[in-house]
Amino acid sequence: MATSPEHEYLSNAALRIMESASNSGLFGYTEGQRKLFDFSCDLKKDWSKVVVGQTLWKHDGDGIDKDLRTLLNEQDVAAAVYIARHKSRLRARFAEVTQSYLDTPMRDRLSRLRVFWIPADFNTDDEKVVASTYKALQEEITRDLLLHVTLGGLTPRDVIRFASAKRPGLQIAILSYIKKNGHRSHKNTAGALGRRSTIVASETERLFMTGFLESESLQGGVYKITASGQAMLDICSRLRDYLNGKLGEGNKNAHLEYICGLLGIDYPSIPINTPLVGEDVIHQLQNPTFLLLQHVAQADSDGLVDWPAPYFALPSN
């Protein structure tokens, strides 16, 4: 059955938004085989996560049952995206169908479903409407999908908690060390980092309490890095590139800047010649971005971090 221009535009826009965001260097992107779906892609870091999606535009509520069944039946996907026309009867039908899955073995898969409602009067012939719709969809997909799938659900509050640590650079060094070597004891980690065991223990436990490290024990102990901890390492590495003038052409990366902006990291507001380490530092204790860049600069100066390289988009098969 032929699809409408709006249907085609929205399906392609979803892929374009995810591919564009991958230019931040925070994850890789490959367009996938669509098979039963309107769009599909593979997001890559040290792992590979598949995102599939359907778009509902011309059809009434009858198509929702089939679309959701197709999305939820697919195994081994990180997220199932549904882009749909915002109409009262469609939202009501969507609620009915999802409710019906709550009493089935499929209920656990509902958590991977991400729904984005598009204004019913969207028309590809209106350039202003197209531009505003794309901008709104970009923010929603980046905030509600990509930050969860590729950045471990990182939030602005997480960034503030990380940036507010009292010992500049040490949290980054601990995350890097545990990612590469694992964690056997505070003594071993402290020895590798050249710090006192009590200090490393305090910062490690803080990383555990704030969700950047995890442990099978509720009391901590043997730690490993979480998805949000890995995401913070990746972001700090890109911020290091910024401070070293190596972020890209003109030391700019609009895609990274956009994602960081959603996390409350306004790194362009801090010029790269701002003193961040040493006696000339003018502290900005109420500025999380300054504090985070100070952590990055100190960790870079200490030379104890194995900085993650940028991820790049890969050619589609």
Side-chain angles (χ1 to χ4, degrees), residues 269-287:
S269 68
I270 309 294
I272 62 174
N273 59 356
T274 302
L276 296 168
V277 177
E279 298 179 354
D280 296 330
V281 176
I282 300 176
H283 295 283
Q284 301 179 33
L285 299 180
Q286 301 303 315
N287 185 341

Side-chain angles (χ1 to χ4, degrees), residues 101-207:
Y101 280 105
L102 293 178
D103 296 325
T104 73
M106 303 286 283
R107 63 182 180 274
D108 293 337
R109 297 187 183 182
L110 288 173
S111 62
R112 71 188 190 190
L113 189 63
R114 296 287 187 274
V115 186
F116 303 102
W117 297 99
I118 305 299
D121 60 354
F122 172 68
N123 189 322
T124 55
D125 292 331
D126 190 324
E127 293 183 0
K128 290 185 177 180
V129 170
V130 168
S132 63
T133 300
Y134 183 89
K135 183 177 180 180
L137 187 60
Q138 179 186 33
E139 179 168 348
E140 289 185 26
I141 286 180
T142 305
R143 188 188 300 277
D144 298 336
L145 173 64
L146 294 179
L147 292 187
H148 285 274
V149 174
T150 66
L151 298 183
L154 204 62
T155 68
R157 187 174 183 180
D158 293 331
V159 172
I160 291 174
R161 287 173 172 171
F162 189 88
S164 62
K166 303 298 184 183
R167 299 177 177 92
L170 183 54
Q171 288 202 125
I172 299 176
I174 291 173
L175 286 179
S176 175
Y177 179 83
I178 291 178
K179 177 190 174 184
K180 184 177 181 180
N181 303 287
H183 176 86
R184 288 182 291 173
S185 69
H186 296 313
K187 182 178 180 180
N188 285 336
T189 303
L193 300 180
R195 305 296 289 266
R196 293 208 310 269
S197 181
T198 53
I199 291 176
V200 169
S202 174
E203 293 298 328
T204 301
E205 288 164 9
R206 187 176 189 277
L207 287 167

